[in-house]
């Protein structure tokens, strides 16, 4: 799968700009603030129907304008594919594929597989469990539409059950039979989600470990674990055991929406005991493992976006990453960096074609 060209209108800092891309490696270079990351985000937007960095649609529209349009032209499986994402202030965002509007955004997920590696990924380590759940759910959903559908149904039932708990509290009433209807649905959907997450991690963790060892030259031992109360008992029992607590809190306190991942280095939480370089290597290994998994599942090379990949990484680790990209035939690659000479020196070592795209004052320098 190849992104051949990209057109942006009123997207973030760009008024109107067009790009033609190399089939292999594309390097976006320029000073901070010229829009390198925004271009990568536009490419991400085409795959997921939303921004990676700012999910609020209106804040991705250029200041003093009323809409944005992202237009991407792809080649996939020998066919031309045109995908457009557009939004107007105060209206619902629209995704079109070859001129046809999607009924739901979820129907588009997985069609254009993509993995992004960015300094913003540090949130996976520093933020709460919600960020890590979104990561695991995002990886599975790109190759499993039924999982995404189940996840959306589960989330809807949690919201409805929470609303019912609030209603009970506000009206000083309680109806066990009514609550049980939601409990049964949560148990059904939650069990499916738990089993798919556990099965996914059985496959994913060895890939991740191999990736980290390659980046760190095997000098450090890391681990990735799945934390879920459903590993101890079924959700129906958990909901029953926590009924009094849920009624007091007025929300559902147990379930797969509370699951988490543990990240450790040498047996200790990497958040507290990992250096910046180790943490970034951990995150890059996670994302490269994500790439491997999606590629194996979809039989398509995902597009790989490397945003400011050289930040906080020593030269040795960068060299390992570049070697991996070269050896594994990653397909199409996009790199952003502030140093054009450094970037070109690195990509010259890869036996693939490449294009340097220089940006200045929100425009491409020809």
């Amino acid at each position: 799968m190849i992104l051949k060209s990209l057109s942006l209108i009123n997207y973030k800092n760009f008024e109107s700009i067009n790009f033609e891309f190399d089939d292999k490696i594309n390097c976006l270079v320029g000073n901070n603030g010229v829009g390198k990351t925004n271009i990568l985000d536009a490419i991400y937007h085409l795959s997921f129907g939303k921004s990676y960095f700012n999910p609020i649609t209106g804040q991705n529209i250029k200041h003093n304008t009323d809409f944005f349009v992202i237009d991407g032209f792809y080649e996939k499986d020998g066919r031309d594919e045109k995908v457009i994402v557009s939004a107007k202030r105060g209206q619902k965002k629209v995704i079109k594929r070859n001129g046809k509007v999607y009924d739901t955004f979820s129907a588009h997920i997985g069609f254009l597989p993509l993995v992004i590696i960015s300094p913003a990924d540090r949130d996976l380590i520093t933020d709460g469990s919600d960020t890590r759940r979104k990561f695991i759910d995002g990886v599975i959903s790109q190759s499993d539409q039924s999982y995404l559908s189940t996840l959306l149904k589960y989330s809807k039932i949690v919201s409805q059950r929470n609303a019912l708990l609030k209603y009970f509290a506000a009206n000083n009433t309680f109806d066990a039979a009514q609550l049980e209807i939601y409990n049964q649905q949560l148990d059904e959907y939650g069990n499916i989600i738990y089993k798919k997450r556990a099965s996914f991690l059985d496959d994913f963790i060895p890939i991740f470990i191999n990736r980290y060892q390659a980046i760190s030259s095997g000098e450090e031992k890391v681990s990735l674990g799945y934390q879920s109360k459903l590993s101890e008992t079924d959700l129906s029992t958990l909901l029953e055991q926590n009924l009094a607590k849920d009624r007091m809190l007025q929300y559902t306190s147990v379930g797969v929406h509370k699951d988490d991942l543990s990240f450790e280095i040498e047996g200790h939480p990497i958040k507290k005991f990992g250096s910046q370089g180790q943490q970034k290597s951990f995150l890059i290994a996670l994302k490269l493992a994500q790439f491997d998994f999606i590629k194996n599942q979809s039989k398509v090379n995902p597009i790989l976006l490397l945003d400011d990949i050289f930040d906080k990484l020593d030269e040795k680790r960068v060299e390992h990453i570049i070697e991996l990209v070269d050896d594994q035939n990653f397909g199409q690659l996009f790199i952003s960096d502030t140093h054009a000479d450094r970037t070109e020196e690195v990509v010259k070592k890869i036996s693939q074609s490449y294009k340097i795209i220089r940006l200045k004052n929100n425009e491409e320098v020809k």
Side-chain angles (χ1 to χ4, degrees), residues 46-264:
L46 288 169
S47 285
F48 295 94
K50 62 181 179 180
S51 163
Y52 186 70
F53 301 99
N54 190 344
I56 301 174
T57 299
Q59 294 180 7
N60 293 305
I61 300 174
K62 192 177 190 303
H63 293 310
N64 301 318
T65 64
D66 295 323
F67 70 96
F68 75 68
V69 178
I70 308 170
D71 189 332
F73 182 72
Y74 294 80
E75 181 183 300
K76 182 183 180 188
D77 298 328
R79 295 181 53 185
D80 293 338
E81 300 283 355
K82 188 178 180 68
V83 175
I84 298 175
V85 179
S86 60
K88 292 182 179 180
R89 294 192 189 277
Q91 296 185 25
K92 187 178 179 181
K93 191 184 299 181
V94 175
I95 304 178
K96 294 181 181 179
R97 175 187 166 194
N98 298 329
K100 184 177 180 180
V101 178
Y102 279 98
D103 292 330
T104 61
F105 286 4
S106 60
H108 180 63
I109 304 302
F111 177 65
L112 301 173
L114 177 146
V115 174
I116 183 171
I117 300 176
S118 164
D121 296 333
R122 193 166 183 273
D123 291 349
L124 282 166
I125 292 175
T126 59
D127 283 8
S129 60
D130 181 59
T131 303
R132 291 180 286 278
R133 281 194 305 275
K134 286 180 180 178
F135 168 73
I136 187 175
D137 290 339
V139 179
I140 301 172
S141 296
Q142 281 203 67
S143 56
D144 189 340
Q145 277 283 330
S146 66
Y147 178 81
L148 180 57
S149 175
T150 303
L151 200 62
L152 293 172
K153 291 174 184 175
Y154 178 89
S155 297
K156 182 178 180 181
I157 299 302
V158 169
S159 296
Q160 291 173 336
R161 187 178 189 270
N162 290 347
L164 184 62
L165 290 168
K166 287 182 173 62
Y167 174 82
F168 289 158
N171 293 275
N172 196 27
T173 185
F174 180 70
D175 186 337
Q178 194 174 3
L179 194 66
E180 181 60 23
I181 294 173
Y182 292 124
N183 290 356
Q184 290 175 0
Q185 294 179 78
L186 287 181
D187 184 49
E188 176 187 353
Y189 296 138
N191 195 42
I192 293 171
I193 292 167
Y194 169 73
K195 286 182 177 179
K196 287 200 173 186
R197 284 177 179 170
S199 176
F200 158 73
L201 285 167
D202 284 343
D203 295 332
F204 183 81
I205 290 173
I207 301 172
F208 160 72
I209 298 296
N210 287 336
R211 281 297 186 195
Y212 189 91
Q213 288 177 342
I215 294 171
S216 66
S217 301
E219 297 172 358
E220 301 150 354
K221 185 178 180 181
V222 293
S223 63
L224 172 62
Y226 180 30
Q227 300 175 335
S228 175
K229 288 190 175 180
L230 269 72
S231 64
E232 303 166 5
T233 187
D234 60 273
L235 183 51
S236 179
T237 301
L238 287 170
L239 290 169
E240 184 179 338
Q241 291 173 346
N242 288 272
L243 176 58
K245 179 181 178 182
D246 287 359
R247 289 184 65 183
M248 181 182 67
L249 295 173
Q250 299 174 40
Y251 66 79
T252 307
S253 63
V254 290
V256 292
H257 61 292
K258 297 295 183 179
D259 290 355
D260 200 356
L261 296 175
S262 62
F263 297 161
E264 294 188 345

Side-chain angles (χ1 to χ4, degrees), residues 276-326:
Q276 286 189 332
Q278 288 170 330
Q279 289 182 4
K280 185 143 191 184
S281 293
F282 193 100
L283 294 169
I284 290 171
L286 272 179
K287 292 304 190 78
L288 292 179
Q290 175 186 359
F291 181 98
D292 292 337
F293 181 84
I294 294 171
K295 178 181 177 180
N296 291 338
Q297 293 294 313
S298 66
K299 309 305 179 188
V300 173
N301 270 327
I303 289 174
L304 182 61
L305 310 180
L306 304 180
D307 182 28
D308 198 10
I309 190 64
F310 304 105
D311 179 50
K312 295 185 180 69
L313 278 185
D314 57 48
E315 185 176 340
K316 181 180 177 182
R317 292 176 195 258
V318 172
E319 288 291 333
H320 274 297
I321 293 167
I322 297 305
E323 287 171 8
L324 290 171
V325 171
D326 197 17

